Amino acid sequence: MPQRRISASAPGGTFFLTFTVQRWYYIFDRHARWQILAEALSYRRAHAGLQLHGFVFMLNHIHLIATAPDAAGFVRDFKRHTAARLYENLGTTEPRVQELFRTEDGGYSLWQSGSAAMALETERMFQQKLTYIHENPVRKQYVARPEHWFWSSANPDCPLQPDPSS
């Protein structure tokens, strides 16, 4: 069963994660915002020991299968960094949309809280979630086949690729 959050005291592991934009608002279909996500994941791979096994970037959420030595730290840092970069991008490209994410205290909140984290403890669970991720754009009828969605680990032409051990 998915948990809203990964416990800070939990060790690393392999998790299925979902990050969803507040109000399920579509922000990723323009202004190089998918690239912001890809760069943040690439940075975590290079500097924080993240292994990326599968992913799909949708219009208002992303799904990942990832292994991290500090999974809670990865979620916290990834969401914090991407929220700042995406909010800045919104301010430059769509200031009116940026207002949708302002909080009552004058700050902003781009991502919904939690990450629907699910520890993947068996190969069967791993394969089920990887299939779910890859089929997501097909279920939404955006594409006919998983490999046709550009920002997906199912697409061999995507600039972000899963780790070789995946």
Side-chain angles (χ1 to χ4, degrees):
M1 166 147 309
Q3 302 171 350
R4 272 185 71 72
R5 291 193 166 90
I6 299 171
S7 168
S9 63
T14 300
F15 289 89
F16 168 74
L17 302 164
T18 301
F19 305 125
T20 305
V21 174
Q22 291 287 356
R23 299 185 179 113
W24 288 83
Y25 194 82
Y26 287 12
I27 64 168
F28 295 124
D29 57 343
R30 54 201 178 275
H31 305 294
R33 295 183 189 134
W34 277 315
Q35 189 63 37
I36 292 169
L37 300 174
E39 289 169 3
L41 287 170
S42 293
Y43 180 86
R44 297 282 172 244
R45 290 165 96 176
H47 300 285
L50 178 74
Q51 291 181 307
L52 187 61
H53 306 291
F55 66 90
V56 67
F57 300 168
M58 299 297 288
L59 301 175
N60 56 12
H61 67 286
I62 68 173
H63 294 295
L64 307 173
I65 295 177
T67 302
D70 174 10
F74 160 69
V75 170
R76 179 196 63 233
D77 295 346
F78 177 81
K79 288 175 81 172
R80 181 182 301 149
H81 173 77
T82 55
R85 292 275 322 276
L86 292 164
Y87 193 73
E88 178 183 315
N89 177 287
L90 285 167
T92 303
T93 59
E94 298 179 283
R96 286 189 170 163
V97 173
Q98 186 186 44
E99 294 301 315
L100 294 173
F101 302 102
R102 286 217 187 264
T103 58
E104 291 180 10
D105 65 2
Y108 64 91
S109 178
L110 192 119
W111 295 110
Q112 291 181 11
S113 65
S115 58
M118 177 184 286
L120 300 181
E121 298 168 349
T122 67
E123 182 64 24
R124 183 170 182 250
M125 289 175 69
F126 180 95
Q127 290 303 321
Q128 285 176 333
K129 291 303 178 187
L130 188 61
T131 298
Y132 175 84
I133 285 172
H134 289 162
E135 291 289 332
N136 201 287
V138 176
R139 280 191 307 279
K140 295 293 265 177
Q141 299 181 348
Y142 295 151
V143 294
R145 298 176 50 94
E147 60 272 19
H148 295 167
W149 188 255
F150 187 75
W151 285 104
S152 170
S153 54
N155 183 339
D157 296 324
C158 180
L160 183 67
Q161 288 293 309
D163 286 301
S165 61
S166 301

